[in-house]
């Protein structure tokens, strides 16, 4: 059971917008920046969003991140079939003194 | 373009010490505020952070693994390493090495599967 809570699954049709949430607490999201990772089937994770809402070079602006209080969200607009993947949030936890990941959300593009 | 490549034993027996190496190639080793991490993923499960070694010499480990983990960096060989002692079946996972900073730079190896079985 992860300290960061993500819904196990999400689904939406192509072209639509989907939001994936990550719920934490005061010792983690409440105090530290959140990163989001995309893991396509059979591949290594890839950094999608860093420091809550910044996109690394090469990441399409269809992907956006936000943080409010002890929760963070990843939004994907204009869904494409290639967005079908597992998505993980991650942040530092001051109480655990370590980096923690959410349990991951499996996104299905219907 | 920097590339990372993990190498390791593949199959191990319980109680042995896992040794993994991550070879860095394709460019200069980033200087400054850059860290080198190990993350693992048990089959069909989520990601677990093992630890990181920062360019400033700071090393941090997952508290749940700290007693069994040692990480080191050897830039004369362009590589960094992980040792995990007293492995059990629960340590069976794909192990990834990764490098990155707080400004969006992030590179990952392809991962190497380590299976612990008697």
């Amino acid at each position: 059971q992860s300290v960061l809570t993500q819904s196990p699954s999400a689904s939406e049709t192509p072209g639509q917008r989907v939001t994936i949430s990550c719920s934490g607490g005061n010792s983690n999201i409440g105090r530290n920046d959140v990163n989001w990772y995309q893991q396509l089937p059979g591949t290594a994770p890839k950094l999608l969003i860093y420091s809550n809402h910044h996109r690394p070079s090469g990441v399409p602006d269809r992907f956006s991140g936000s943080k409010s209080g002890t929760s963070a969200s990843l939004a994907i607009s204009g869904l494409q079939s290639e967005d079908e993947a597992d998505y993980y949030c991650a942040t530092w936890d001051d109480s655990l003194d370590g980096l923690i990941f959410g349990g991951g959300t499996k996104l299905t593009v219907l | 373009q920097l590339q990372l490549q993990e190498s390791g034993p593949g199959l191990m027996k319980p109680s042995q010490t896992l040794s993994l190496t991550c070879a860095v190639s394709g460019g200069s080793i980033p200087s400054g505020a850059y860290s080198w991490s190990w993350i693992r993923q048990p089959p069909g499960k989520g990601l677990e952070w093992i630890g990181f070694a920062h360019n400033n010499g700071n090393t941090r480990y997952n508290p749940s693994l700290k007693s069994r983990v040692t990480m080191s960096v050897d830039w004369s060989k362009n590589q960094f390493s992980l040792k995990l002692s007293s492995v059990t079946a629960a340590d069976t996972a794909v192990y990834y090495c990764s490098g990155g900073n707080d400004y969006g730079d992030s590179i990952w190896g392809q991962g190497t599967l380590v299976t612990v079985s008697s």
Side-chain angles (χ1 to χ4, degrees):
Chain A
Q1 196 90 9
S2 176
V3 174
L4 300 180
T5 302
Q6 297 183 239
S7 295
S9 63
S11 61
E12 190 49 270
T13 53
Q16 297 302 305
R17 173 187 169 97
V18 67
T19 300
I20 295 171
S21 63
C22 176
S23 177
N26 292 323
S27 63
N28 42 72
I29 295 178
R31 293 184 184 179
N32 298 295
D33 289 337
V34 177
N35 290 349
W36 288 92
Y37 296 86
Q38 177 193 57
Q39 187 175 31
L40 297 170
T43 70
K46 167 192 168 184
L47 182 64
L48 203 60
I49 297 288
Y50 70 97
S51 297
N52 306 319
H53 60 87
H54 296 279
R55 285 185 305 276
S57 174
V59 174
D61 60 6
R62 302 187 296 105
F63 295 91
S64 61
S66 64
K67 186 183 101 167
S68 178
T70 59
S71 294
S73 295
L74 171 71
I76 310 172
S77 60
L79 263 178
Q80 300 178 3
S81 58
E82 54 261 41
D83 298 332
E84 193 160 280
D86 294 325
Y87 293 85
Y88 295 91
C89 57
T91 188
W92 191 264
D93 189 293
D94 290 345
S95 294
L96 296 174
D97 194 26
L99 183 72
I100 55 175
F101 287 92
T105 297
K106 183 176 184 62
L107 174 64
T108 300
V109 181
L110 300 170
Chain B
Q1 181 95 9
L2 273 186
Q3 293 182 327
L4 304 183
Q5 178 67 60
E6 306 89 347
S7 60
L11 181 63
M12 302 183 63
K13 294 188 183 302
S15 81
Q16 290 183 329
T17 294
L18 169 63
S19 292
L20 293 174
T21 297
C22 183
V24 183
S25 63
S28 302
I29 304 298
S31 59
Y34 214 85
S35 61
W36 306 94
S37 304
W38 289 95
I39 297 101
R40 69 182 183 179
Q41 185 171 35
K45 297 188 178 181
L47 302 170
E48 180 182 29
W49 174 71
I50 300 171
F52 70 71
H54 197 278
N55 274 358
N56 64 8
N58 188 23
T59 303
R60 305 290 289 274
Y61 301 137
N62 185 323
S64 69
L65 300 171
K66 188 174 183 177
S67 63
R68 298 194 291 132
V69 171
T70 302
M71 290 179 60
S72 61
V73 175
D74 187 348
W75 294 136
S76 69
K77 296 182 179 179
N78 277 12
Q79 65 184 36
F80 59 103
S81 302
L82 168 72
K83 289 188 186 298
L84 179 67
S85 64
S86 304
V87 298
T88 69
D91 295 309
T92 294
V94 174
Y95 285 74
Y96 296 101
C97 60
S98 172
N101 59 22
D102 291 337
Y103 307 104
D105 286 345
S106 177
I107 49 175
W108 289 65
Q110 64 185 25
T112 186
L113 175 62
V114 175
T115 302
V116 181
S117 174
S118 56

